[in-house]
Amino acid sequence: MFVDTHTHLTYPTLRDQLPDVIDRAKAAGVTRIINVATDLASSEIVIESVAKYDCVYAAVGIHPQDSANLPSDWPERLRELLSQPKVVAVGEIGLDYYRDFSPKETQIKIFREQIIIAKELGLPMILHDRQAHDDIKQILAEIGYYRGVLHCFSGNAAFAQEMTDLGFYISFTGNTTYGNKKTDLAVQAVSLDKLMLETDAPFLAPEGKRNETTEPANIPLIATKIAELKSLPFETVEAATTQNALTFFHLQ
Ligand SMILES: [Zn+2]
């Protein structure tokens, strides 16, 4: 039994065949899926999806690259979305200095406000960090809220260690199968009680399927790779990552 802790089932490639995607996930043992929004419009869509599918849960929030040109009442609208059934996290939120669709100052302002909302509501955060490690760490420390998962982890082993010591969780995607030494060492540095699995579907298909759209059914391939990198039995990785996800997101 697995949890795919980060997917974007709102993308047309997945959304147009969602019943099949869910069936294939279940057949692969992936019994719970978190559908993650990136703005107010996709937040509405993920909330619709959780009503239709028992196994789907929602995270709602504003992605750093969607932080520009928000309506002035976005915080109230976000709070309303967060109060809906099966909404289990604020996400995905964070900073992305790799691309510049939204100015850095805007990203920081919107990220900060969403951490404060998550803290106030006691909700976990799904964090997006692209080339922004220092600012992410500093802003979270200023607000003093550490209930988050660094999704699609892209830092090195030392940063992984530093963040898990603070209490953060780390999740890995199909990028663990690409043979990148830095990622391999980061996987090895994260203790099993802080590790979660995600496909980030439709992105980052595992090796061997890179010309396909990835989907939750591929989670066991990521678990296999992590078990190999950590020299652990597959079942140990399966049990620990599933338990971490159930606890962290308070899933039923
Ligand atoms: Zn994502």
Short mmCIF file of all heavy atoms in Angstrom, two decimals, residues 24-47:
data_model
loop_
_atom_site.label_atom_id
_atom_site.label_comp_id
_atom_site.label_asym_id
_atom_site.label_seq_id
_atom_site.Cartn_x
_atom_site.Cartn_y
_atom_site.Cartn_z
N ARG A 24 -5.59 2.34 -12.43
CA ARG A 24 -4.22 1.83 -12.56
C ARG A 24 -3.44 2.04 -11.25
O ARG A 24 -2.64 1.19 -10.86
CB ARG A 24 -3.49 2.49 -13.74
CG ARG A 24 -3.97 1.99 -15.10
CD ARG A 24 -3.02 2.39 -16.22
NE ARG A 24 -3.02 3.82 -16.50
CZ ARG A 24 -3.81 4.42 -17.40
NH1 ARG A 24 -4.66 3.71 -18.12
NH2 ARG A 24 -3.73 5.72 -17.58
N ALA A 25 -3.69 3.16 -10.59
CA ALA A 25 -3.03 3.43 -9.29
C ALA A 25 -3.42 2.35 -8.29
O ALA A 25 -2.57 1.74 -7.64
CB ALA A 25 -3.41 4.82 -8.79
N LYS A 26 -4.72 2.09 -8.19
CA LYS A 26 -5.20 1.08 -7.23
C LYS A 26 -4.61 -0.28 -7.53
O LYS A 26 -4.20 -1.00 -6.62
CB LYS A 26 -6.73 1.02 -7.25
CG LYS A 26 -7.37 2.21 -6.55
CD LYS A 26 -8.88 2.08 -6.50
CE LYS A 26 -9.50 3.23 -5.73
NZ LYS A 26 -10.94 3.37 -6.02
N ALA A 27 -4.55 -0.63 -8.82
CA ALA A 27 -3.98 -1.93 -9.21
C ALA A 27 -2.51 -2.03 -8.81
O ALA A 27 -2.00 -3.12 -8.55
CB ALA A 27 -4.14 -2.13 -10.72
N ALA A 28 -1.83 -0.87 -8.75
CA ALA A 28 -0.41 -0.87 -8.37
C ALA A 28 -0.23 -0.73 -6.86
O ALA A 28 0.90 -0.61 -6.38
CB ALA A 28 0.30 0.28 -9.10
N GLY A 29 -1.34 -0.71 -6.11
CA GLY A 29 -1.25 -0.62 -4.65
C GLY A 29 -1.20 0.80 -4.11
O GLY A 29 -0.94 1.01 -2.93
N VAL A 30 -1.42 1.79 -4.98
CA VAL A 30 -1.41 3.19 -4.54
C VAL A 30 -2.84 3.54 -4.13
O VAL A 30 -3.70 3.77 -4.99
CB VAL A 30 -0.88 4.12 -5.65
CG1 VAL A 30 -0.86 5.58 -5.19
CG2 VAL A 30 0.51 3.67 -6.10
N THR A 31 -3.09 3.54 -2.84
CA THR A 31 -4.47 3.61 -2.34
C THR A 31 -4.91 5.03 -1.99
O THR A 31 -6.10 5.26 -1.77
CB THR A 31 -4.65 2.72 -1.10
OG1 THR A 31 -3.67 3.13 -0.13
CG2 THR A 31 -4.43 1.26 -1.44
N ARG A 32 -3.96 5.95 -1.90
CA ARG A 32 -4.31 7.35 -1.62
C ARG A 32 -3.43 8.27 -2.46
O ARG A 32 -2.23 8.01 -2.61
CB ARG A 32 -4.15 7.68 -0.15
CG ARG A 32 -5.12 6.92 0.75
CD ARG A 32 -4.81 7.19 2.21
NE ARG A 32 -5.60 6.36 3.10
CZ ARG A 32 -5.33 5.09 3.40
NH1 ARG A 32 -4.31 4.47 2.84
NH2 ARG A 32 -6.10 4.43 4.26
N ILE A 33 -4.06 9.34 -2.95
CA ILE A 33 -3.35 10.26 -3.86
C ILE A 33 -3.67 11.68 -3.42
O ILE A 33 -4.84 12.01 -3.17
CB ILE A 33 -3.85 10.06 -5.31
CG1 ILE A 33 -3.60 8.63 -5.78
CG2 ILE A 33 -3.20 11.07 -6.26
CD1 ILE A 33 -4.33 8.28 -7.08
N ILE A 34 -2.65 12.51 -3.33
CA ILE A 34 -2.90 13.93 -3.03
C ILE A 34 -2.80 14.73 -4.32
O ILE A 34 -1.80 14.66 -5.04
CB ILE A 34 -1.95 14.44 -1.94
CG1 ILE A 34 -2.18 13.59 -0.67
CG2 ILE A 34 -2.20 15.92 -1.67
CD1 ILE A 34 -1.36 13.95 0.51
N ASN A 35 -3.90 15.43 -4.62
CA ASN A 35 -4.00 16.23 -5.83
C ASN A 35 -3.70 17.68 -5.43
O ASN A 35 -4.42 18.27 -4.62
CB ASN A 35 -5.43 16.08 -6.38
CG ASN A 35 -5.59 16.58 -7.80
OD1 ASN A 35 -4.61 16.96 -8.46
ND2 ASN A 35 -6.83 16.58 -8.29
N VAL A 36 -2.61 18.20 -5.97
CA VAL A 36 -2.06 19.47 -5.49
C VAL A 36 -2.36 20.61 -6.46
O VAL A 36 -2.08 20.51 -7.66
CB VAL A 36 -0.53 19.34 -5.28
CG1 VAL A 36 0.05 20.62 -4.73
CG2 VAL A 36 -0.22 18.16 -4.36
N ALA A 37 -2.90 21.69 -5.92
CA ALA A 37 -3.23 22.86 -6.73
C ALA A 37 -2.04 23.82 -6.80
O ALA A 37 -1.09 23.72 -6.02
CB ALA A 37 -4.42 23.59 -6.13
N THR A 38 -2.13 24.75 -7.77
CA THR A 38 -1.06 25.74 -7.91
C THR A 38 -1.60 27.17 -7.90
O THR A 38 -0.82 28.12 -7.90
CB THR A 38 -0.28 25.52 -9.22
OG1 THR A 38 -1.22 25.51 -10.30
CG2 THR A 38 0.49 24.21 -9.20
N ASP A 39 -2.91 27.33 -7.95
CA ASP A 39 -3.51 28.67 -7.91
C ASP A 39 -4.97 28.53 -7.48
O ASP A 39 -5.42 27.41 -7.18
CB ASP A 39 -3.38 29.36 -9.29
CG ASP A 39 -4.02 28.56 -10.41
OD1 ASP A 39 -4.80 27.63 -10.13
OD2 ASP A 39 -3.75 28.87 -11.58
N LEU A 40 -5.72 29.64 -7.47
CA LEU A 40 -7.10 29.56 -6.98
C LEU A 40 -7.97 28.72 -7.91
O LEU A 40 -8.79 27.92 -7.44
CB LEU A 40 -7.68 30.97 -6.82
CG LEU A 40 -7.05 31.81 -5.71
CD1 LEU A 40 -7.55 33.26 -5.79
CD2 LEU A 40 -7.32 31.25 -4.31
N ALA A 41 -7.76 28.85 -9.22
CA ALA A 41 -8.60 28.10 -10.16
C ALA A 41 -8.37 26.60 -10.03
O ALA A 41 -9.34 25.82 -9.96
CB ALA A 41 -8.32 28.56 -11.59
N SER A 42 -7.11 26.18 -9.95
CA SER A 42 -6.85 24.73 -9.83
C SER A 42 -7.25 24.23 -8.44
O SER A 42 -7.58 23.05 -8.27
CB SER A 42 -5.40 24.38 -10.16
OG SER A 42 -4.49 25.05 -9.34
N SER A 43 -7.26 25.12 -7.45
CA SER A 43 -7.73 24.73 -6.11
C SER A 43 -9.20 24.30 -6.17
O SER A 43 -9.59 23.31 -5.55
CB SER A 43 -7.56 25.87 -5.12
OG SER A 43 -6.19 26.15 -4.89
N GLU A 44 -9.99 25.04 -6.95
CA GLU A 44 -11.41 24.66 -7.11
C GLU A 44 -11.51 23.28 -7.77
O GLU A 44 -12.34 22.46 -7.38
CB GLU A 44 -12.14 25.66 -8.03
CG GLU A 44 -12.01 27.12 -7.64
CD GLU A 44 -13.11 27.59 -6.70
OE1 GLU A 44 -13.95 26.76 -6.33
OE2 GLU A 44 -13.09 28.79 -6.34
N ILE A 45 -10.65 23.03 -8.75
CA ILE A 45 -10.72 21.77 -9.49
C ILE A 45 -10.29 20.58 -8.61
O ILE A 45 -10.92 19.52 -8.65
CB ILE A 45 -9.85 21.82 -10.77
CG1 ILE A 45 -10.33 22.96 -11.68
CG2 ILE A 45 -9.91 20.50 -11.53
CD1 ILE A 45 -9.41 23.22 -12.88
N VAL A 46 -9.23 20.77 -7.80
CA VAL A 46 -8.82 19.63 -6.96
C VAL A 46 -9.91 19.32 -5.92
O VAL A 46 -10.13 18.16 -5.57
CB VAL A 46 -7.44 19.81 -6.26
CG1 VAL A 46 -6.33 19.99 -7.26
CG2 VAL A 46 -7.43 20.90 -5.25
N ILE A 47 -10.60 20.35 -5.47
CA ILE A 47 -11.68 20.11 -4.50
C ILE A 47 -12.83 19.33 -5.15
O ILE A 47 -13.41 18.44 -4.53
CB ILE A 47 -12.13 21.44 -3.86
CG1 ILE A 47 -11.04 21.89 -2.87
CG2 ILE A 47 -13.48 21.31 -3.17
CD1 ILE A 47 -11.20 23.22 -2.27
#
